[in-house]
Amino acid sequence: MTSRSAAHDLPAYLAPLPERLEELALRLVWVIVAVNLAGTVFGFWHYRFQLMNSRLVIWPAVADSPLATLCMAASLVSWKVGRNRDWIHALAFLGNLKYGFWVVFVQLAINDVLATGDPYHWFLLVSHFGMGIQALVVYRYAEFTVPAVSAATLWFGFNDLVDYFVPIVGDYHHTYFGPRLVSAGDHGVRAHDLAAAAAVGLTILGAVLALAIRIRRLENRLDAE
């Protein structure tokens, strides 16, 4: 059986989407699952050259966005069929929030898509903005338990570590993304610092939001008793 929280049991800074948009997303679950699965396939195709140049053991830390959309599809399915998995929900929330809005930031601040007008970069910006937006609906059906949020934060923190600071298998594993980040080994450019700061900041933001949502809900339950 599927269950979900009330639309407005949280303040706007924790649940910023309009209620009608949330309700529409929850009604179109299977459509969104299909879109995320298609995005996952496309994402692995997008990463194909980088994956071929990376050892198999590190692949989960390379193809960030397609794994996030796969987690989103799994999260929605597990909720819809009544077999909720808190850790999947937490991974879906943090992953789509982080990599969705990270790509938006990179396209605007690093690849300068507004000036170049590159259609492929515009496609990446719009599709990843959708990833970030869909993450903001997960709270409607998910329980952001402390163990689940902690596990997701550790995973995405590990991704940040091997992407930008301490590679453990071969070279750094961040995305080959745009001309100024095309070389994973060139960390002397300002674009690298901007991308790293955005990634770490979004990991922290996702964890804080998930825990803040849990705390506020616990407060709401205590007030209702």
Side-chain angles (χ1 to χ4, degrees):
M1 179 179 178
T2 59
S3 62
R4 62 196 195 203
S5 68
H8 292 296
D9 67 337
L10 297 174
Y13 65 86
L14 295 178
L17 297 183
E19 179 183 354
R20 289 201 299 181
L21 182 58
E22 292 179 351
E23 292 295 335
L24 178 63
L26 294 173
R27 287 198 302 270
L28 299 178
V29 164
W30 295 115
V31 174
I32 296 174
V33 167
V35 170
N36 276 275
L37 291 176
T40 299
V41 173
F42 172 80
F44 279 110
W45 175 85
H46 174 86
Y47 277 94
R48 65 195 185 282
F49 297 118
Q50 189 169 352
L51 291 171
M52 286 189 294
N53 291 325
S54 303
R55 290 177 57 182
L56 182 62
V57 69
I58 204 63
W59 278 20
V62 172
D64 298 316
S65 292
L67 287 178
T69 53
L70 183 61
C71 285
M72 189 70 199
S75 172
L76 289 168
V77 170
S78 71
W79 165 66
K80 195 64 177 176
V81 302
R83 299 178 66 86
N84 282 292
R85 297 291 183 268
D86 292 335
W87 63 274
I88 294 179
H89 298 331
L91 285 171
F93 175 74
L94 266 74
N96 283 268
L97 183 80
K98 173 181 179 175
Y99 293 114
F101 291 131
W102 182 85
V103 171
V104 171
F105 170 81
V106 169
Q107 294 298 349
L108 293 173
I110 296 176
N111 288 341
D112 200 10
V113 68
L114 295 178
T116 66
D118 184 284
Y120 187 64
H121 285 173
W122 267 110
F123 166 73
L124 292 176
L125 186 152
V126 172
S127 60
H128 283 77
F129 181 73
M131 285 176 60
I133 292 298
Q134 71 179 357
L136 300 175
V137 180
V138 176
Y139 87 95
R140 289 291 303 275
Y141 60 82
E143 286 288 337
F144 291 136
T145 63
V146 172
V149 174
S150 298
T153 304
L154 286 173
W155 169 247
F156 292 116
F158 167 77
N159 271 256
D160 293 336
L161 186 69
V162 299
D163 280 353
Y164 300 103
F165 304 104
V166 185
I168 59 173
V169 179
D171 215 328
Y172 295 94
H173 309 298
H174 65 65
T175 305
Y176 294 179
F177 209 46
R180 280 174 277 182
L181 282 179
V182 71
S183 173
D186 182 7
H187 282 196
V189 294
R190 183 169 178 267
H192 164 267
D193 296 337
L194 290 174
V200 173
L202 285 165
T203 298
I204 296 170
L205 176 64
V208 169
L209 285 177
L211 293 176
I213 288 170
R214 177 166 181 79
I215 291 169
R216 186 58 181 259
R217 281 187 167 155
L218 291 174
E219 292 174 346
N220 290 345
R221 290 168 189 169
L222 289 174
D223 291 342
E225 292 177 355

